[in-house]
Amino acid sequence: MKRPTQADVARLAGVSRATVSYVINGRADRSVSITEETRQRVLWAIEQLGYQPHAAAQSLRSGMTKIIGLLIPDMHNPHYWQIVRGVEDAARAEGYDLLLASTSLDPKREQHSVRALLRRRIDGLILLLTFGDRLASEIEMLARRHGPVVLLGGQVPGLDVVEPGYESGAAQMMRYLLSLGHRRIAFIHGVACPTLGGERLTVYRRVLQERGWLNERWVIHCGSTLEDGYQAASHLLDCSPRPTAILVVNDLLAIGALRAVADRGLRVPEDISIAGFDDIEVAAYLTPPLTTVRVDSETLGRESVRLVLARMRDPERPLQHIRVSAQLIVRASTGSAPAD
Amino acid sequence: MKRPTQADVARLAGVSRATVSYVINGRADRSVSITEETRQRVLWAIEQLGYQPHAAAQSLRSGMTKIIGLLIPDMHNPHYWQIVRGVEDAARAEGYDLLLASTSLDPKREQHSVRALLRRRIDGLILLLTFGDRLASEIEMLARRHGPVVLLGGQVPGLDVVEPGYESGAAQMMRYLLSLGHRRIAFIHGVACPTLGGERLTVYRRVLQERGWLNERWVIHCGSTLEDGYQAASHLLDCSPRPTAILVVNDLLAIGALRAVADRGLRVPEDISIAGFDDIEVAAYLTPPLTTVRVDSETLGRESVRLVLARMRDPERPLQHIRVSAQLIVRASTGSAPAD
DNA sequence: TTGAAAGCGCTACCAA
DNA sequence: TTGGTAGCGCTTTCAA
């Protein structure tokens, strides 16, 4: 019970293999023309046998895989999933399948995954790198040889980039928190690699520095799990004086922070304000609903696919750098700074 | 600047293409043996050229793609990601890449995705079907021709199945709620397809029926988004008398329910208890932390991969049906039924 | 309008 | 111990 091949179809339809190929690939319009009757016979034979073209053979011959690869840092963070959704959607709409890999926040694995993805001669690659710097030169080289590679955030010379507008988002957020009267603002920087989310931290530091309110003790570096967020917030809550607001590098960790506050019997936002980044879907449904900076992650994914496809079509087009804007979303987790 | 092929390596190393192949595939041990010196020269040439085997060509020749396909219903629900994590992990550990597709809760798209996946002659396929029944016969047929197909829940004759133990979990949950004195227990069945989560609903009905407390007005069928959960719960809260507990088909929707309760100024669990299924990661960090039924989703994913690989190795092995057990996790969102 | 045939890059069998 | 070589299934050019 072997799977039927193109030759089987040809035999059954009483035509040559080339004809079958023409019919399938719809080349019937331009250079080649096929009798409607022949076409129908071929179609019938295909149906009859349940024939399906062999993807590997097509790839080998045509040089296209019809696959787009996506590398994300961490499957735990919903934010990345929203990106995956955007990518999957856009890719599928164009007839591409999605090969997904995650770094699991491990540099070795990131390197390994990038190589594995590249090895497949996938049509296009979208990389959301965690430890990118270490690989920059290798990626640059490989990208030159392989097809299109688009970076989702970060910087590698010679590559198209889609950049989330966290920087302006962070600035909006800081302005907002200051307008509420907060001065003791903490920052939880829970990421696998210091460079990740760096722009948010930088803006935070700069804004407070300008006012002389920066206190490095209130910048917590920790891991990237919910529990890390919880622990970091717990630590901050035990400080004296306590910060009146905690800005968290992403919503996932902010959820951990909310829990920490609740566990200490404190109220949000009366006793302390909490805010995050990303506007993951649950953010609006938390108790209290979370103030955050929205970066439309599906758009991030979609745009990446767009760039990849565009580069496929025209490898010589000028380098693109697209910025997806961010927007402050005020909900109930932030309020005026409590009087001392 | 074309990519080097095996022939280039052979030329540079001064050996034949076959030798290169042997070196790469480490067949040097058994049937064929290669001088250490030759081996080194080949390795050197590979390094020199930055040669990487062409995956499509390998697939075509060897018949293996080193890819496992996974179809999930919906990228919005964290529960499914946890499964994806398990699959990705296990697959990568065995040298397989992951091709991911999501149904987006659309039957057409499910059918289309299954076909696309099958078409690739992927080494193995893991399906978490939403509308499986409609496709059952097609899948069965295709599975016979194609490689291993494992079902994650559901039933298709002739296929290996990994089944989450929701049924026993639901029974534990109902027993627990009853022990807290609840009699007016509602059920939010927010799924894309009635059969999904059916076992949970069935247990719910059976248990209440036995006591004569079943009230179909308290069974809400709705969609599968957070907002659907919110709306469904809102509706239930407006009933009079109000249910004293709401069991939600999954944690994601339960989050929506928690929000609805909070928005009405009611307290969980004093005024009403809320419980879900899956034990997604955020469940423990919600306010209040959510009582739920844990089904270890990573294990679900891992086991699926295990079955796929086992079936690859031995297509004739007896059909497997693995049940992953469920466990009641009591947290703060459930409490004694309020006195009337 | 259709068919023949040359590979795409690789693996594995057989011969040397 | 190594090399020659026949395909895997498909697309596409060229000829008929």
Side-chain angles (χ1 to χ4, degrees):
Chain A
M1 178 79 147
K2 275 199 65 217
R3 291 187 42 166
T5 128
Q6 209 182 46
D8 297 322
V9 177
R11 201 173 310 120
L12 181 59
V15 299
S16 85
R17 293 174 40 223
T19 309
V20 177
S21 179
Y22 293 146
V23 170
I24 289 174
N25 300 329
R27 294 186 61 83
D29 39 339
R30 243 177 60 78
S31 45
V32 182
S33 45
I34 305 265
T35 332
E36 179 57 21
E37 196 230 317
T38 310
R39 220 178 73 82
Q40 287 307 333
R41 237 191 9 260
V42 172
L43 256 24
W44 168 84
I46 288 175
E47 179 72 20
Q48 197 66 15
L49 296 169
Y51 167 75
Q52 295 192 300
H54 191 298
Q58 281 179 312
S59 296
L60 179 57
R61 183 60 235 232
S62 68
M64 320 236 72
T65 55
K66 282 295 193 175
I67 292 182
I68 286 183
L70 171 61
L71 180 72
I72 58 174
D74 173 18
M75 297 223 187
H76 287 78
N77 191 334
H79 171 59
Y80 296 126
W81 279 95
Q82 295 184 202
I83 294 176
V84 175
R85 275 216 313 272
V87 170
E88 209 245 352
D89 246 43
R92 186 160 308 278
E94 300 279 347
Y96 286 79
D97 280 337
L98 174 67
L99 200 58
L100 180 70
S102 96
T103 296
S104 298
L105 306 171
D106 169 1
K108 284 246 168 45
R109 189 154 158 183
E110 173 162 302
Q111 183 164 19
H112 185 271
S113 296
V114 170
R115 292 206 181 125
L117 251 24
L118 252 14
R119 214 176 68 55
R120 289 211 180 262
R121 302 247 204 329
I122 282 174
D123 292 347
L125 204 46
I126 299 170
L127 301 178
L128 209 167
L129 296 176
T130 314
F131 311 94
D133 359 2
R134 311 192 191 172
L135 295 171
S137 66
E138 179 176 0
I139 290 174
E140 189 185 351
M141 195 202 79
L142 291 176
R144 201 180 308 286
R145 280 212 205 168
H146 296 251
V149 178
V150 169
L151 237 50
L152 213 36
Q155 286 253 14
V156 171
L159 296 189
D160 295 314
V161 175
V162 175
E163 187 197 332
Y166 284 120
E167 189 165 338
S168 100
Q172 292 174 57
M173 176 65 87
M174 288 304 293
R175 215 173 307 134
Y176 165 69
L177 290 177
L178 291 175
S179 78
L180 290 174
H182 293 282
R183 296 175 52 155
R184 297 201 304 275
I185 305 175
F187 192 95
I188 295 179
H189 189 234
V191 289
C193 174
T195 59
L196 219 57
E199 73 297 319
R200 282 157 268 184
L201 182 53
T202 303
V203 169
Y204 161 87
R205 283 207 174 106
R206 193 187 59 224
V207 169
L208 289 185
Q209 186 92 65
E210 283 168 8
R211 288 163 177 78
W213 298 343
L214 180 59
N215 179 344
E216 284 294 340
R217 282 184 44 239
W218 286 343
V219 177
I220 309 284
H221 296 277
C222 64
S224 54
T225 69
L226 270 165
E227 184 60 22
D228 289 318
Y230 179 86
Q231 296 294 349
S234 300
H235 174 78
L236 285 169
L237 294 173
D238 290 339
C239 288
S240 170
R242 213 167 44 212
T244 63
I246 302 180
L247 184 52
V248 189
V249 75
N250 65 46
D251 288 351
L252 184 68
L253 271 75
I255 295 176
L258 283 178
R259 180 77 251 137
V261 175
D263 277 355
R264 276 177 171 57
L266 297 171
R267 293 158 308 161
V268 176
E270 292 82 352
D271 299 314
I272 188 165
S273 291
I274 304 279
F277 285 89
D278 294 341
D279 194 26
I280 60 177
E281 279 181 275
V282 288
Y285 292 85
L286 296 172
T287 306
L290 188 66
T291 293
T292 186
V293 169
R294 171 183 302 162
V295 173
D296 185 336
S297 2
E298 288 203 37
T299 298
L300 244 31
R302 283 212 151 66
E303 288 295 301
S304 308
V305 172
R306 204 171 58 72
L307 286 194
V308 163
L309 295 178
R311 169 94 26 229
M312 275 175 53
R313 280 159 201 152
D314 175 12
E316 303 306 329
R317 75 201 289 259
L319 227 49
Q320 301 281 315
H321 185 116
I322 291 187
R323 191 177 310 245
V324 174
S325 70
Q327 182 191 359
L328 177 67
I329 306 286
V330 176
R331 299 206 181 93
S333 72
T334 44
S336 303
D340 269 322
Chain B
M1 178 78 146
K2 275 197 65 215
R3 291 189 44 167
T5 130
Q6 209 181 49
D8 297 322
V9 176
R11 201 173 311 120
L12 181 58
V15 299
S16 84
R17 295 177 35 227
T19 309
V20 176
S21 179
Y22 293 146
V23 170
I24 288 174
N25 300 330
R27 293 187 60 83
D29 39 340
R30 243 178 59 78
S31 45
V32 182
S33 45
I34 305 265
T35 332
E36 180 55 22
E37 196 231 317
T38 310
R39 221 178 72 82
Q40 288 306 332
R41 235 189 14 258
V42 171
L43 257 24
W44 169 82
I46 289 175
E47 178 72 20
Q48 196 67 15
L49 296 170
Y51 166 76
Q52 294 193 300
H54 191 299
Q58 282 179 311
S59 297
L60 179 56
R61 183 59 234 232
S62 68
M64 319 236 73
T65 55
K66 282 296 192 174
I67 292 182
I68 286 183
L70 171 60
L71 181 73
I72 58 174
D74 173 19
M75 296 222 189
H76 286 78
N77 192 334
H79 172 59
Y80 296 126
W81 314 337
Q82 294 184 202
I83 293 176
V84 176
R85 274 215 313 272
V87 170
E88 209 244 353
D89 246 43
R92 186 160 307 279
E94 300 279 345
Y96 286 80
D97 279 337
L98 174 68
L99 200 58
L100 179 71
S102 97
T103 297
S104 298
L105 305 171
D106 169 0
K108 284 244 168 48
R109 190 155 155 180
E110 173 162 303
Q111 182 165 20
H112 185 271
S113 295
V114 170
R115 292 205 181 126
L117 252 23
L118 253 12
R119 214 177 67 56
R120 289 210 180 262
R121 302 242 202 335
I122 280 173
D123 292 346
L125 204 46
I126 298 170
L127 301 178
L128 208 167
L129 297 176
T130 314
F131 310 94
D133 1 1
R134 312 193 191 172
L135 295 172
S137 66
E138 180 177 359
I139 290 174
E140 189 186 352
M141 196 202 78
L142 291 176
R144 201 180 308 287
R145 278 211 206 169
H146 296 250
V149 179
V150 169
L151 237 50
L152 214 35
Q155 286 254 13
V156 171
L159 296 190
D160 295 313
V161 175
V162 175
E163 188 197 333
Y166 284 120
E167 189 165 339
S168 100
Q172 291 174 58
M173 176 64 87
M174 288 305 293
R175 215 173 308 134
Y176 166 69
L177 290 177
L178 292 174
S179 78
L180 290 175
H182 293 281
R183 295 175 53 154
R184 298 201 302 274
I185 304 175
F187 192 95
I188 295 180
H189 189 233
V191 288
C193 174
T195 58
L196 219 56
E199 73 296 319
R200 280 156 271 184
L201 181 53
T202 303
V203 170
Y204 161 87
R205 283 207 174 104
R206 193 187 59 226
V207 169
L208 289 186
Q209 186 91 65
E210 283 168 9
R211 289 164 178 76
W213 298 344
L214 180 60
N215 179 344
E216 284 294 339
R217 283 185 42 239
W218 286 343
V219 177
I220 310 284
H221 296 276
C222 65
S224 54
T225 69
L226 270 166
E227 184 60 22
D228 289 317
Y230 179 86
Q231 297 294 349
S234 301
H235 174 77
L236 285 169
L237 294 173
D238 291 339
C239 287
S240 170
R242 213 167 44 212
T244 63
I246 302 180
L247 184 51
V248 189
V249 74
N250 65 46
D251 288 351
L252 185 68
L253 272 76
I255 295 176
L258 283 178
R259 180 78 252 138
V261 175
D263 278 355
R264 275 175 171 58
L266 296 171
R267 293 158 308 162
V268 176
E270 291 82 353
D271 298 314
I272 188 164
S273 291
I274 304 279
F277 286 89
D278 293 343
D279 194 26
I280 60 178
E281 279 182 277
V282 289
Y285 292 86
L286 297 171
T287 305
L290 187 66
T291 293
T292 186
V293 169
R294 170 183 302 162
V295 173
D296 186 336
S297 3
E298 288 204 38
T299 298
L300 244 32
R302 283 212 150 65
E303 286 295 300
S304 308
V305 172
R306 204 171 58 72
L307 286 195
V308 163
L309 295 178
R311 170 94 27 230
M312 275 175 52
R313 281 161 199 151
D314 175 12
E316 304 307 329
R317 75 200 289 258
L319 227 50
Q320 301 281 313
H321 186 116
I322 290 187
R323 192 177 308 247
V324 174
S325 70
Q327 182 191 0
L328 176 67
I329 306 285
V330 176
R331 299 206 182 93
S333 72
T334 45
S336 303
D340 270 321

